[in-house]
Amino acid sequence: MLYLVGLGLADEKDITVKGLGIVKKAARVYLEAYTAVLLVDQGALEAFYGRPVAVADRETVESASDDILRGADKVDVAFLVVGDPFGATTHSDLVLRARQLSIPVRCIPNASILTAIGATGLQLYNFGQTVSMVFFLDNWKPASFYDRIKENVSIGLHTLVLLDIKVKEQSLENMARGRNIYEPPRYMTVAQCAQQMLEIEDDVKQEGVYTRESLAVGVARMGSEDQKMVAGTLGQLCHADLGRPLHSLVLLGRRTHDLEREFLEEYAVDRESFNAVWNKDYGGKG
């Protein structure tokens, strides 16, 4: 059996009881380590599980999945995923490859950012399509996600923006020269995401949907003891410091409830300005 085991969002103790039992008896244990990261290192997992854990990077999962699936028709193999196993389409691909080899598959769900974002007080029913924001380059500012944000805005829904993670990435030069040299890990912050969102808005100008005065919520390390949230305008969040990764951002839609405002003002950069913008542009609109 191939088991896809969700680890939750924070540390080694977020794994479910069912998931832990599977990990302890599996012949091999892999940790997917590029769509998201836990707030503890591999050693903490191995100490808690009492098992060695092999780190599976993007290349391993996408190009060498046969190594992961080897013998999984005869023994149990556990593939550990931060959050929930199906939070990334890559893992759907792994399941399809297992099916082609007649390997049975079982998924053990866990908490993900898609549900944990409810801790902001924003109603999950009022979220639209989730999008991803990648690091911009001087000559490359992909904005394919923007149409989905506009669709969410058109019906008043919030947008959860997942922020870019660069782990075991090569520079173009090293890739072209075939050198196995990797760049240091990078994790996008709420401030960087807010700045890039406003860059996109500047580019689309008259067709834009958010401004520096639009409300947003930044979150960091959701599910951990030191999780942090901050609410304010996009302009204010350009200067927010939420500490270490992982970060996410929510762009507020107009379909709001006053309970959401009451919940969020606890985390406002400035309560007076937050409430003023809310009452002007968000309160009772939808």
Side-chain angles (χ1 to χ4, degrees):
M1 179 81 73
L2 171 67
Y3 289 95
L4 275 67
V5 181
L7 296 183
L9 292 170
D11 57 35
E12 72 278 13
K13 296 179 183 177
D14 280 352
I15 191 171
T16 64
V17 174
K18 185 180 293 183
L20 182 59
I22 289 168
V23 169
K24 286 185 173 294
K25 70 181 181 68
R28 300 193 307 278
V29 181
Y30 296 92
L31 171 65
E32 185 266 276
Y34 66 92
T35 58
V37 294
L38 281 181
L39 302 180
V40 294
D41 60 22
Q42 177 185 354
L45 296 182
E46 293 180 328
F48 188 70
Y49 301 154
R51 298 293 313 283
V53 175
V55 174
D57 57 23
R58 182 188 297 272
E59 182 179 354
T60 300
V61 177
E62 296 184 350
S63 304
S65 61
D66 288 347
D67 292 339
I68 296 172
L69 299 175
R70 175 176 44 83
D73 56 335
K74 301 180 179 65
V75 299
D76 290 338
V77 174
F79 184 75
L80 311 182
V81 182
V82 177
D84 185 81
F86 289 111
T89 54
T90 296
H91 309 129
S92 299
D93 185 60
L94 184 64
V95 170
L96 292 175
R97 296 187 192 192
R99 287 180 182 172
Q100 291 172 355
L101 298 171
S102 299
I103 296 170
V105 179
R106 186 178 176 193
C107 174
I108 311 299
N110 209 322
S112 78
I113 188 61
L114 299 177
T115 52
I117 199 66
T120 58
L122 296 172
Q123 297 175 6
L124 292 180
Y125 289 133
N126 286 338
F127 276 79
Q129 303 167 88
T130 298
V131 302
S132 297
M133 176 78 78
V134 302
F135 283 109
F136 288 173
L137 302 177
D138 290 340
N139 58 350
W140 187 66
K141 297 181 181 180
S144 57
F145 63 88
Y146 193 77
D147 285 342
R148 282 183 282 167
I149 291 178
K150 289 183 71 173
E151 289 174 2
N152 290 344
V153 169
S154 71
I155 51 177
L157 299 179
H158 311 311
T159 300
L160 172 61
V161 185
L162 304 179
L163 278 52
D164 201 3
I165 297 172
K166 298 292 187 186
V167 179
K168 202 176 180 182
E169 298 278 341
Q170 290 179 287
S171 68
L172 292 177
E173 180 182 355
N174 286 328
M175 189 180 301
R177 295 177 179 274
R179 297 185 296 212
N180 292 325
I181 300 174
Y182 299 98
E183 301 294 296
R186 289 194 298 154
Y187 306 95
M188 185 180 289
T189 66
V190 162
Q192 289 170 319
C193 182
Q195 290 162 8
Q196 291 192 178
M197 184 65 197
L198 291 177
E199 283 185 47
I200 291 292
E201 293 292 354
D202 285 342
D203 291 341
V204 298
K205 294 183 171 59
Q206 299 301 323
E207 300 175 9
V209 289
Y210 284 97
T211 70
R212 294 185 65 84
E213 299 307 311
S214 298
L215 292 179
V217 184
V219 301
R221 301 174 300 282
M222 296 301 288
S224 70
E225 292 184 4
D226 68 336
Q227 76 176 24
K228 192 167 183 179
M229 294 184 275
V230 61
T233 65
L234 277 173
Q236 289 172 330
L237 294 191
C238 286
H239 307 286
D241 181 3
L242 278 74
R244 63 193 180 103
L246 293 172
H247 294 193
S248 300
L249 182 77
V250 179
L251 301 168
L252 263 64
R254 302 301 175 95
R255 187 177 297 178
T256 59
H257 191 282
D258 202 50
L259 287 176
E260 293 177 301
R261 179 201 58 76
E262 187 177 347
F263 201 102
L264 278 175
E265 68 176 350
E266 175 72 20
Y267 308 107
V269 174
D270 177 81
R271 287 196 181 195
E272 184 175 350
S273 64
F274 175 84
N275 284 319
V277 174
W278 184 286
N279 292 331
K280 176 178 176 290
D281 295 329
Y282 294 85
K285 301 180 184 294

